[in-house]
Amino acid sequence: MTRFLPFLFAMLWMNASDLFAVNIGSMRKSLFKIHVISQTPNYEQPWTQDPVRGSSGTGFYIGKEGILTNAHVVADGKFITVQRDGDDKPMTARVRYIAHDCDLALLEVADPNYFKNVQALNFADFPEVRAMVNTVGYPTGGEQLSTTQGVVSRVSYRRYVHTGADSHLLVQVDAAINPGNSGGPVIQKDKVVGVAFQSQSAAENTGYIIPTPVVRRFLADIKDGKYDGHPVQGLWYMEGALQNAATREYHKLKKGDGGVKVSQVADYSPAKGSLLTGDILLAIEGKPIGVDGKIVMFNERLSFRALYDLKQKGDKIHFDILRDGVRKKVEFALNAKGLFYDPGLQYSIRPRYVTIGGLVFTALSRNYLQEWGKSWVYDAPLVLRYVQNFATELHMFQGKKDIVVLSERLAHPVNTYAGPFMEEVLLRLNGQEVNSVEDIPRIIDKEKGEFLIFEFLAQDTPLVLERKAAMDADTSILQQYQIPLAKWFGSNADDGATANWEVEGS
Amino acid sequence: MIKTFLCRLLLLVNLLGVSSIGRASDRLESSLIKVYSYVQRPDFDSPWTTKQSEKLVHMGIVVSDHRILVSAYAARSAKHFEGEKIGDSKRYGLKLKMVDPVANLAILEFSETEPEGLSEIDFGEDLELGANCTIYQGTEGESLVARTLRLREVQLQAGVLTSYSLPQYVFEIRKPGYGWFEPLIRNGKLVGAAISQSGSSVFALPVSLIKRFVKESESDHYRSFPELGISFSSLLSPALRKYGKASEYEEGVWIQDIKKTSAFAKVLKRGDILLSLDGTPVSARGSYEHPLWGRIPIVAMMSEIYSGDSVELKILRGGEEKTIVENIGPYSPELERIPSIIDEPPRYTIFGGLLIQELTEGLLQSWGTSWRKRAPLPYLFEDAFHSWPQQGGESKVLVLQRVLPLDFNKGYHSMEDSFVTAVNGIPVTNLTDMAKALDRPEKGKESFARFQLEPGHEEIILTYKGIAKIHNQLRQRYGIPKSAVFWEAGASGK
């Protein structure tokens, strides 16, 4: 398997050639350079933050919604300013909506008159493959706006690196890409066809853009004032199995039938109850699915997941299926992110955690695993690597909002012998299932017995604390280690972007 | 003070007695054989063949009846042996007489003639911590190279071929190239033999284990090392002690798990506290006081016990003491759910191009030196947490290793490294089960074979029609020999 090594680039494609440059004169006033001061929480010590750093990106005005950019440009942003092309003054901005799963964000500014006389850029439907496109933005190494030209080389459904776990429709462009440019518009003729957002470090001249359909889905999603996210799938299938003659005969497929076979439907999937293991998906929304799992969409052959993925929460989707030799139609309503383990990178003000008797329990996440360095996939403890990979599929983890890990021991006599339990996955506390970090204080508050008995995955011995001694020690442990909060369970606005302007009188 | 004086005195005597030392070394040379083994290890990727033959040069020690003692690692997969007396370039044929992979020891015999002037080695006693001895290495030259060592520690270490732990000497040697059964000599007598090297640590079997093996090898009923089959964790935490109602005791360990094949499987429970083994108290860290080696893990006591012996455990359950006595059986690496002998030829079957194997330690290690990081995660998870036998020990982990592509199995060519959990709807845990299940197609679907895979819940459906012909095509296209194991209809009933 080839390894995809993408990296985010925070500005613009350089080396614009005059020969290919488009006339962006009329668009200039709609383009913004975005400066961000950000701070990332430390997942090992969830009450602390890593050092502050500065970065910049590009954004563009799309009308009353505000300035569109990438989520990764403003993620963990503590102070954000936008600067219009040709202006001398940066303007303080804040995040209005942020969608980490599809790497998009909308910014707004305090002054309602700031966008007076600014023309909103319009979107075109979908870039044609092999057609020329221009990317506009602010590269590092200079102040001026820069444009680069490239050719749309292919359309696919693949991973967005901002979370590392979500896949959506994307468009690949062959153009020399230098780090920079994230959030800049990609223009064909005089319309926007996408947002520049990531590149591939393993290959030269390869850039990726978020195409219009994904941007439009985002804008439609927030119409109700809240970002719900792309619909949950939790559906696995065997690609290509129906190429096999014996398998086709077994399932009584007709000549010319395509389709893929469902291997698993997660408990949290909206398809649960509608689709079963062994079902053959013949068509989605009336579009026939090939044996490779692809449908014809935007004149290309794309995974049927791309169509599913562009729906909104609450939308209905329908499949033509073959079950036990009988053709059926099934329809079910889609839902957005629910209570199950998310293997993608998280962006929150602070990771959720709770301390008890000097033991810090936190929720497992890709961020947490990245504390083991670049090759965490190999270097992190086996149990955590296994859970990260299979939590969404394995039955024992379904219904769990968090995978709770004992992440840190603040040494104190009450927890002296907890060493062997570090980095283990907590399953039960005093016999009760722990399905989230929040469950821990919930269980402890009701507890009156002598002990706190923690049972871990892959550990046959329990970790036992004397309940009263552990509770009594909490205050002094927090003081001793200067931990401001005994627990943090997140807030409603916990999307990792807290930048705001100072409001007088508040 | 007196000790140092004695040492100096001995040193003085040694210096004076150079000629006698020379004679002792001559005598040692007559008890050592340089052995050349031509080893063919299994090839787990293509289990019908073996890896390229490699030549291992190691030491052999002459024991009773001029038999040659070597390590099992260098002997078990060997196809051919040759022996050479130190200082004599003539090669003599040798053959394997017996091997115990758990002890990592083997006995060879000269097949026809033997070199003249061989003499049986004298066995000494186990070394005490801090004691000196000399390790002798047979080099490309004609004489032995000696190096004085000091016993740094004794560790309970997995043997080289299996995961069974034995007490082993640890010496420090910075130079690589040790661990090829070099003898350890003290006062002209054998006190151990080096079996592996990791970094600057050289591990060696104490002579007591060697003596035991040699003596048993002379008997008609060889008794191997026994299996306790219990895992435990320390009981240092006062809270855990209180919870386990062991507050009044100072020793004992928390029993974590009991193997299904253990003699104690029916009488012990998780959470019991093990207080003593054959009358020897077990500390809260799980150690006991060895007369020579200090505190070492209690499991090391197994090397003093023979399979068939009765073993007495004193345990604490719910605050009450209990004494349990059972006859203990031998450790059988092949009974593990993931068998632990690394050079055992793989067990596999090919059905329509699906290469299905029983997961073994050897297969896991075929991912190379960093296999603990690189092998497929579900395999590693099973190995780390579910490697112990379930029920009787016949249940294994079946894996689809890869698919040998043909049109016949098109659509499944990229499937690999998954567990095979059911065939034709029947749960299977080993190749025998699988053969039986393949002989029982599903009702109404008689011409199809259906394989269920985990953890992804995939299934592979192939046909039985023309399967013999397909197997012939596979043999031809992929150069698979006639001896390879292909599925045959009805073979499970034979």
Side-chain angles (χ1 to χ4, degrees), chain A residues 236-247 249-252 261-265 277-278 375 377-379 382-383 385-387 389-390 393-394 417 420-421 424 450-451 453 457-466, chain B residues 231-234 236-240 242-244 254-257 270 372-375 377-378 380-382 384-385 407-412 414-415 442 445 447-448 450 452 454-463 465:
Chain A
W236 288 269
Y237 61 87
M238 296 182 64
E239 198 182 287
L242 298 180
Q243 289 174 43
N244 188 273
T247 309
E249 199 190 326
Y250 180 94
H251 289 291
K252 303 193 175 95
K261 192 157 111 183
V262 174
S263 52
Q264 202 170 353
V265 184
T277 297
S375 48
V377 173
Y378 300 115
D379 292 340
L382 173 62
V383 170
R385 291 196 284 152
Y386 180 72
V387 173
N389 267 271
F390 295 104
E393 288 172 62
L394 288 174
Y417 299 98
F421 301 93
E424 295 287 350
E450 193 180 357
F451 302 109
I453 302 145
L457 174 72
Q459 271 278 0
D460 295 315
T461 307
L463 165 60
V464 178
L465 299 185
E466 297 209 42
Chain B
S231 70
F232 33 73
S233 65
S234 75
L236 295 163
S237 155
L240 185 61
K242 222 164 153 188
Y243 172 69
W254 180 278
I255 296 182
Q256 282 189 310
D257 202 4
R270 287 182 178 195
R372 281 178 200 284
K373 292 183 174 188
R374 302 280 167 164
L377 274 173
L380 290 174
F381 193 78
E382 289 301 301
F385 306 112
D407 252 353
F408 178 82
N409 51 36
K410 200 162 102 183
Y412 301 112
S414 59
M415 306 279 308
E442 288 169 286
K445 300 275 189 189
S447 58
F448 300 101
R450 189 163 66 91
Q452 178 77 49
E454 295 296 343
H457 268 43
E458 296 99 343
E459 63 182 13
I460 294 181
I461 297 168
L462 298 175
T463 178
K465 278 183 227 154

Side-chain angles (χ1 to χ4, degrees), chain A residues 271-286:
Chain A
K272 181 83 183 172
S274 303
L275 294 177
L276 302 174
T277 297
D279 281 354
I280 287 160
L281 307 180
L282 295 169
I284 179 169
E285 302 283 271

Side-chain angles (χ1 to χ4, degrees), chain A residues 256 258-259 281-290 293-296 301-302 304 320:
Chain A
L281 307 180
L282 295 169
I284 179 169
E285 302 283 271
K287 286 178 184 263
I289 299 172
K294 289 185 174 150
I295 56 171
V296 177
R301 286 189 63 76
L302 291 169
F304 78 83
D320 291 338

